[in-house]
Amino acid sequence: MTHYAANKFSATTPIYYVNAKPHLGHAYTTIVADAVARWHRLLGEDVHLLTGTDEHGLKIQQAADAAGVSPQQFVDSIAPKFEQAWERLNITHDDFIRTTEPRHAVGVKKLLQACYDAGDIESDFYRGQYCVACEAYFIDDELVNGNCPIHNTPTTFVEEENYFFRLSRFEERLLKWYADHPNCITPGFRLNEVTGFIKTGLQDFSISRKTLTWGIPLPWDESHVTYVWFDALANYITAVGYGTDDAAFNANWPVDFHFLGKDIIRFHCVYWPAMLMSAGIEPPKGWAVGGWLLAGGEKMSKTTGNVVNPLDLIDDIGVDGFRYYVLADTVYGNDGDFTYEGLISRYNSDLANNLGNLAARIATVVEKKCGGIGPTPSLNSILAAAAATAVADTSAAWHSVQPSRALEATWGLIKATNAYLENNEPWKMEPGEAVDTVMGDALEALRIVTILANPALPTSTQEIWRRIGLTGEITDLRIGADTQWGQYPSGRQVVKGEPLFPRKK
Ligand code: MSP
């Protein structure tokens, strides 16, 4: 991948269905995208992070009917819950698109028209099994005991006149594109899944429904509204100006990474690049595909009923504690098993015992042995090498969208610093040069840790920064220049403060 050299970095999350409130699964993908975006800002890149809500379609219409309100009233009541959740989770998106916005409708119509003019959208009859929860048709072979393979609920037989996108014409073009861009999907094994699927032969897919009214009408036949995926995927381009601001669009597309869960990989890695190719638009540069967060072995979702509200967990563990858990506990790309015990145990070991303890210990010893003023580090400290390794490994891991490995590398420096303190036992020393050397080195290591851990723990790292006497915002610093060993200044007052991560039972 070539993202290192670029001075622009753009990323998107899926846009979430507003048939239900945000849950842990939504929060997971959004926090990963946010942390990666924050890392790229620390690299000095011009970052654009997009998220939003998917508000059209049968699923939403049915949820509105069930609530006894109009679809518009319904989506207007749920969409703000996503915005509030992201604010609470400290998500730094630059834009939030709702598919009911006018800018979106304009761009969707332009995209539809471009594919229609290219001859890739045609009218035909559809007969097949449809899953409302997925908003997708399935062929018989894909059903499991007659049920939807994702939701394990019965599908419905549907026969109607639809417009179809001729996906079957794109097999060769897609395979060639993937052969030319072998590193575009992370983790890499997902690329094989995508190309394997393309090689089994692609089916044309339906893009419109006559029976549905809650959606965007086709520009050439207003008796149809476009079907959910054509509408939803287009958000990635309509948000950056497609159809409304050509200059902005040309400056911001193609996107560096779409973040998504493995459940929607076909739509993102097969349908979407084909739709873009048809319309004469460059496909995305990259996709970062996450696994599922499972609760009791099942994908957490409204349909299966095992939904954990992330906001309830924050009350318990703090925003940073929660962000850290979802970033550190699951290797991005693999499935993760959410348990409350796992959350508490990771919080206690990594945050309370490691980072929290290091910060508290340093402040205590500096207060007792150095008169509360932080000493400066020595340039040939053995911690300097540990810091350089942590910076290099943390950078490489964020670069390849591996937050858990990035945090592991950062925590390597925390552990080395705790070990350095235990070996030297500065708390047993008399005040003087020797204790000053040890504490200056520990402060410098902690300074570097707070920068490296900032994308995961934005609030508590800033608080540590302040407590060790440093000023300004970590988010204004740069990986590289500001993570070089030896910059902790002289004469700064170090304060202990309340425990940042009190131990939980
Ligand atoms: N609206 C579509 C996406 C359109 S994108 C152009 C959709 N929405 S969704 O709300 O059902 O889920 C979106 C994404 O949320 C999933 O692809 C996945 O990234 C994330 N997750 C939802 N549940 C999840 C888990 N239990 N675990 C991990 N991620 C999950 O699909």
Side-chain angles (χ1 to χ4, degrees):
M1 267 169 267
T2 53
H3 302 295
Y4 259 149
N7 59 3
K8 264 175 163 324
F9 179 81
S10 55
T12 64
T13 74
I15 50 169
Y16 302 104
Y17 286 132
V18 288
N19 62 326
K21 289 187 297 190
H23 63 67
L24 181 62
H26 304 136
Y28 175 58
T29 314
T30 308
I31 290 171
V32 172
D34 177 66
V36 171
R38 284 174 177 271
W39 179 264
H40 282 267
R41 289 194 196 101
L42 285 177
L43 292 174
E45 295 175 8
D46 175 10
V47 171
H48 189 266
L49 176 62
L50 171 67
T51 189
T53 41
D54 191 352
E55 305 192 354
H56 289 133
L58 191 53
K59 202 201 263 281
I60 309 291
Q61 187 157 4
Q62 287 177 346
D65 291 347
V69 294
S70 73
Q72 188 66 53
Q73 281 171 322
F74 184 77
V75 299
D76 286 347
S77 72
I78 306 274
K81 293 195 199 307
F82 280 84
E83 292 188 84
Q84 286 154 14
W86 302 158
E87 195 174 319
R88 186 90 201 278
L89 286 168
N90 226 334
I91 304 300
T92 52
H93 50 281
D94 300 281
D95 194 1
F96 187 105
I97 186 158
R98 297 181 53 184
T99 55
T100 47
E101 286 176 54
R103 62 170 168 163
H104 182 66
V106 172
V108 167
K109 287 183 180 167
K110 177 169 172 170
L111 179 66
L112 283 162
Q113 191 69 52
C115 296
Y116 186 70
D117 292 346
D120 292 322
I121 293 179
E122 290 171 340
S123 161
D124 213 334
F125 274 90
Y126 192 88
R127 294 169 196 90
Q129 298 294 334
Y130 186 75
C131 170
V132 175
C134 287
E135 298 273 17
Y137 287 105
F138 288 94
I139 55 169
D140 287 345
D141 281 358
E142 291 172 320
L143 301 181
V144 178
N145 302 323
N147 287 342
C148 162
I150 308 276
H151 294 93
N152 198 25
T153 46
T155 49
T156 320
F157 182 77
V158 174
E159 178 178 38
E160 63 175 340
E161 189 197 358
N162 283 183
Y163 283 93
F164 280 74
F165 180 77
R166 297 298 186 199
L167 186 65
S168 55
R169 295 178 188 158
F170 288 82
E171 283 171 31
E172 292 305 318
R173 273 178 275 180
L174 286 169
L175 288 173
K176 172 155 190 342
W177 197 86
Y178 279 116
D180 291 344
H181 301 85
N183 297 319
C184 64
I185 302 183
T186 181
F189 71 88
R190 294 280 177 206
L191 175 67
N192 301 337
E193 186 183 316
V194 168
T195 52
F197 174 71
I198 298 169
K199 284 177 189 156
T200 62
L202 296 177
Q203 312 269 337
D204 297 338
F205 68 90
S206 157
I207 64 137
S208 74
R209 313 277 310 262
K210 242 181 162 158
T211 46
L212 186 71
T213 50
W214 182 237
I216 298 171
L218 301 183
W220 63 89
D221 181 351
E222 299 217 333
S223 67
H224 287 248
V225 303
T226 191
Y227 159 84
V228 159
W229 282 100
F230 218 94
D231 176 344
L233 288 161
N235 92 85
Y236 300 133
I237 55 174
T238 62
V240 292
Y242 183 74
T244 49
D245 184 343
D246 287 348
F249 178 62
N250 292 332
N252 289 295
W253 189 261
V255 67
D256 287 286
F257 275 116
H258 287 316
F259 284 83
L260 57 134
K262 66 178 184 180
D263 48 334
I264 50 179
I265 189 170
R266 276 185 201 180
F267 303 113
H268 280 76
C269 300
V270 181
Y271 289 26
W272 179 228
M275 286 156 57
L276 292 168
M277 284 173 183
S278 171
I281 303 169
E282 203 35 35
K285 285 191 216 160
W287 291 261
V289 184
W292 285 342
L293 270 195
L294 306 173
E298 283 192 71
K299 177 175 180 268
M300 194 179 300
S301 75
K302 180 155 189 270
T303 323
T304 47
N306 56 345
V307 177
V308 172
N309 184 346
L311 301 177
D312 295 345
L313 299 169
I314 296 172
D315 291 339
D316 232 24
I317 209 88
V319 172
D320 280 4
F322 179 69
R323 289 175 60 103
Y324 181 81
Y325 170 73
V326 298
L327 292 167
D329 210 60
T330 302
V331 174
Y332 191 69
N334 295 355
D335 287 344
D337 202 10
F338 174 85
T339 62
Y340 189 72
E341 295 68 32
L343 171 73
I344 298 300
S345 112
R346 190 164 269 285
Y347 170 92
N348 280 338
S349 70
D350 293 6
L351 297 179
N353 295 352
N354 270 301
L355 177 57
N357 189 33
L358 176 64
R361 211 171 199 192
I362 290 175
T364 306
V365 180
V366 170
E367 188 190 326
K368 291 210 173 111
K369 308 283 178 175
C370 315
I373 303 297
T376 51
S378 55
L379 292 183
N380 55 0
S381 166
I382 56 160
L383 283 180
T389 304
V391 172
D393 293 353
T394 303
S395 302
W398 282 116
H399 173 65
S400 51
V401 195
Q402 285 298 328
S404 64
R405 300 212 170 101
L407 292 168
E408 220 174 281
T410 302
W411 259 246
L413 179 55
I414 297 176
K415 286 173 189 159
T417 312
N418 269 323
Y420 177 74
L421 291 175
E422 267 141 39
N423 290 338
N424 287 286
E425 300 188 309
W427 41 86
K428 290 187 180 164
M429 296 176 176
E430 289 305 316
E433 208 175 306
V435 84
D436 284 356
T437 304
V438 174
M439 296 321 294
D441 291 351
L443 277 161
E444 172 61 355
L446 184 58
R447 185 190 70 83
I448 293 172
V449 163
T450 59
I451 303 174
L452 296 179
N454 178 260
L457 307 170
T459 310
S460 39
T461 50
Q462 184 64 41
E463 177 59 10
I464 296 173
W465 187 260
R466 191 190 68 76
R467 289 182 186 188
I468 61 175
L470 299 172
T471 52
E473 298 291 319
I474 297 175
T475 49
D476 292 333
L477 303 178
R478 293 291 167 259
I479 302 298
D482 295 306
T483 52
Q484 291 285 343
W485 183 264
Q487 302 183 50
Y488 184 77
S490 62
R492 298 300 171 94
Q493 179 93 41
V494 174
V495 295
K496 189 163 176 209
E498 293 296 306
L500 279 171
F501 306 105
R503 271 190 74 83
K504 303 277 174 198
K505 293 245 163 57

